[in-house]
Amino acid sequence: MKPQELVQRQRNFFKSGITRDRSFRKKQLKTLEKMIRSNEEIIMKSLEKDLAKPRFEAFTSEIGILYPEIREALRNTGSWAGPRWVPTPLIHFLASSVIYHEPYGVALIISPWNYPFQLAMGPLVGAIAAGNCAILKPSELAPETSKVIALLIEEHFDPSYVAVVEGGIEETQALLREKLNYIFFTGGTEVGRIVMENAARRLTPVTLELGGKSPVIVHNDAKLDYAAHRIAWGKYFNAGQTCLAPDYLLVHRDIKREMIVRLRSAISSFYGSDPEQSPDYGRIINDRHFQRLSELMSSGTIVHGGKTTPKTRYMAPAIIDGVTMDDRIMKEEIFGPLLPVLAYENMGDAIDIINSMPQPLAIYIFTESRAVESRILAETSSGGACVNDTLSHVGSTKLPFGGIGDSGMGSYHGKASFDTFTHRRSVMKRSTLFDLPLRYPPYNEGRLRMLRRLFRLIG
Ligand code: NAD
């Protein structure tokens, strides 16, 4: 079906009003949950083919993480979607005010390859809960998962309501040329810019979930063993191809050596002495990214890892010391299993490094000191943050997830997903019992004086 035809069909379906019905939304959320539950194995297989994703990682980060999202939406869609009466300021005497929560219409959800299932389904939960129709455009770089998404959605949903368009740049751009009512994009910053330019032409609202260089700071009072395990986990999960993975490590000079020792031992305890043999370690998505990452390895000195097997796109978990801010590895999002280490002496220097770069998606702070934690949070800016851990905040339905500046705009998860796909329509209803002619022309000084007094009185 041509994009124009698909969008028109969905527009007609939306106009029928059925998606606004709250029991319809709940029924669709249940269908989505059932669809995922009964196809877990197929989904995990496709992730294995695309990314050699370990079953454990595939389940936790692509499937399991969706269930609380769906359940939260199922529990609350009824109340979130209802009208909310709010107080009316005295100046509008004898009126009532209400906010209606209205779906936008046809939403386009564009997703990337690194968590190809979750990043298509997560936004879909919000789109359904809020009463929209949706078109999913999964990533062509994870073709097996894209195929599975298309098959499952086609089997469980009417394409006039939820449809999948497979393909790459050309297919995405064809969709972007249509007049859509919302665009939810997850991907790189450069493509995010293209998406927003297209959206601007048609004044379509967007959410952009982008990437960036998320720093980890380990202060000299941190519990090093916990820090090492939690950083290594967040960095090498999915072979480092995680939008909010710790990108680089800023460690206090006094504990740098010790930190590297503990990180090495954490890596060995996770993946054994030869991670290439470990079933728990993923592979790089394609040759282009493998080549790019191989080039990044020429920065600094590799103090752990370094082995690569181009044929299978295996890249060992690596720690790179002796890196400077001028190295290429510090100038772009790494998005792979390479951890550059920089030492700082004063906290101010670490903060300056973070602030010299665009606002990241996350900042990770390892310290036992409230003062250090507060200072870093106060003097930096990022989409989100985690204290004494990495990645975990993304798994809470109570924390809106999103970026700021170059790492994106808008947020989702839990109620934030519903809000993202919802237009708040404000309505004031005035009484017709009587009319105060004070505001009508012709104006005069006497009335202006009265109004001034009134505004002063009510505040
Ligand atoms: P990408 O931006 O290359 O692709 C994302 C989607 O956009 C794909 O569906 C692709 O088909 C489409 N696309 C690519 N080029 C396009 C173009 N010129 N015009 C229109 N559409 C185009 O991203 P990716 O390589 O798939 O994913 C990696 C990036 O995504 C990283 O930067 C990562 O940080 C980011 N990311 C962010 C999040 C988040 O939640 N904030 C999550 C995962 C990944």
Side-chain angles (χ1 to χ4, degrees):
M1 202 184 309
K2 288 206 174 89
Q4 198 178 13
E5 201 184 326
L6 176 60
V7 173
Q8 191 53 50
R9 271 179 70 169
Q10 290 215 344
R11 201 178 301 293
N12 293 342
F13 192 85
F14 181 72
K15 272 193 197 144
S16 75
I18 187 169
T19 67
R20 291 171 183 258
D21 183 276
R22 288 178 235 175
S23 53
F24 173 84
R25 302 186 203 186
K26 286 188 187 170
K27 198 167 152 231
Q28 304 305 321
L29 286 169
K30 282 183 190 152
T31 302
L32 185 67
E33 183 173 15
K34 204 169 137 225
M35 176 193 98
I36 300 171
R37 264 195 208 289
S38 46
N39 290 285
E40 286 180 354
E41 283 303 322
I42 296 170
I43 299 162
M44 288 198 276
K45 263 266 154 327
S46 68
L47 293 163
E48 192 191 332
K49 285 186 192 155
D50 283 331
L51 285 138
K53 206 169 262 212
R55 284 170 61 76
F56 191 91
E57 290 189 8
F59 180 78
T60 52
S61 65
E62 301 255 20
I63 295 171
I65 194 169
L66 292 168
Y67 295 139
E69 286 289 336
I70 298 174
R71 253 169 272 139
E72 176 107 350
L74 264 173
R75 259 198 312 274
N76 298 300
T77 294
S79 59
W80 291 340
R84 191 160 66 85
W85 273 267
V86 292
T88 302
L90 211 60
I91 191 85
H92 304 290
F93 185 59
L94 275 195
S96 60
S97 304
V98 57
I99 301 168
Y100 291 98
H101 296 99
E102 302 206 334
Y104 279 104
V106 178
L108 171 64
I109 297 169
I110 306 172
S111 43
W113 52 263
N114 60 337
Y115 292 89
F117 191 75
Q118 188 245 119
L119 294 174
M121 294 302 142
L124 179 62
V125 174
I128 291 178
N132 298 274
C133 294
I135 299 171
L136 306 181
K137 213 306 286 171
S139 172
E140 72 282 16
L141 300 185
E144 293 297 327
T145 314
S146 173
K147 215 183 305 164
V148 164
I149 292 173
L151 281 173
L152 293 181
I153 291 289
E154 197 182 324
E155 219 174 278
H156 292 83
F157 294 92
D158 178 345
S160 304
Y161 173 50
V162 181
V164 178
V165 172
E166 286 194 273
I169 296 177
E170 201 181 307
E171 288 76 6
T172 316
Q173 293 196 340
L175 284 166
L176 289 172
R177 279 193 289 275
E178 294 304 315
K179 172 71 187 158
L180 301 151
N181 303 103
Y182 203 89
I183 300 173
F184 189 104
F185 171 81
T186 308
T189 302
E190 281 317 311
V191 181
R193 219 167 255 137
I194 296 172
V195 168
M196 197 167 173
E197 274 166 16
N198 277 278
R201 249 173 251 138
R202 292 158 193 85
L203 289 178
T204 309
V206 291
T207 292
L208 300 179
E209 296 281 341
L210 312 176
K213 287 184 84 63
S214 299
V216 193
I217 306 181
V218 182
H219 198 50
N220 57 8
D221 62 347
K223 292 195 173 164
L224 290 195
D225 226 24
Y226 286 163
H229 279 83
R230 293 172 186 189
I231 293 166
W233 172 71
K235 180 72 193 184
Y236 304 111
F237 198 95
N238 202 24
Q241 301 163 110
T242 303
C243 56
L244 73 164
D247 187 276
Y248 62 98
L249 174 63
L250 287 165
V251 57
H252 192 277
R253 201 183 61 173
D254 296 350
I255 53 161
K256 186 177 131 188
R257 274 172 70 122
E258 184 58 25
M259 190 63 208
I260 291 177
V261 169
R262 305 239 187 165
L263 275 169
R264 296 181 62 166
S265 107
I267 294 169
S268 302
S269 73
F270 291 172
Y271 309 114
S273 56
D274 182 7
E276 193 164 13
Q277 306 307 321
S278 167
D280 300 329
Y281 186 67
R283 296 293 183 267
I284 305 305
I285 184 75
N286 59 24
D287 291 340
R288 185 169 67 82
H289 278 286
F290 186 83
Q291 182 57 33
R292 182 184 62 81
L293 287 163
S294 304
E295 286 165 20
L296 291 186
M297 283 169 80
S298 61
S299 312
T301 313
I302 296 171
V303 293
H304 188 86
K307 185 179 171 196
T308 59
T309 309
K311 194 162 174 276
T312 55
R313 296 187 303 280
Y314 164 76
M315 183 165 277
I319 303 172
I320 306 181
D321 196 6
V323 169
T324 71
M325 292 301 288
D326 295 326
D327 289 317
R328 185 175 154 201
I329 201 166
M330 288 307 295
K331 293 196 185 300
E332 63 185 71
E333 181 184 11
I334 298 172
F335 220 57
L338 314 174
L339 182 67
V341 180
L342 290 106
Y344 68 85
E345 197 169 342
N346 307 307
M347 183 52 71
D349 298 338
I351 290 172
D352 284 348
I353 289 178
I354 294 170
N355 290 339
S356 71
M357 288 186 261
Q359 291 149 295
L361 191 54
I363 288 182
Y364 303 113
I365 305 164
F366 285 85
T367 181
E368 291 300 302
S369 156
R370 273 272 175 87
V372 169
E373 169 192 329
S374 306
R375 179 174 175 200
I376 298 170
L377 288 175
E379 294 182 23
T380 62
S381 167
S382 62
C386 225
V387 179
N388 289 322
D389 204 359
T390 63
L391 313 191
S392 308
H393 61 300
V394 75
S396 166
T397 56
K398 304 297 179 195
L399 289 173
F401 175 73
I404 181 171
D406 282 21
S407 58
M409 61 183 70
S411 57
Y412 73 130
H413 290 181
K415 175 142 190 311
S417 294
F418 175 87
D419 290 341
T420 285
F421 287 98
T422 296
H423 168 61
R424 281 180 298 171
R425 188 179 192 191
S426 298
V427 177
M428 182 183 281
K429 185 173 176 185
R430 298 295 302 260
S431 161
T432 52
L433 282 178
F434 65 91
D435 199 18
L436 266 181
L438 200 62
R439 62 181 163 155
Y440 301 135
Y443 309 124
N444 62 45
E445 280 303 312
R447 279 207 231 156
L448 183 59
R449 266 197 303 278
M450 257 173 82
L451 268 178
R452 274 197 167 131
R453 242 175 267 136
L454 193 63
F455 272 102
R456 219 169 286 141
L457 213 71
I458 60 177

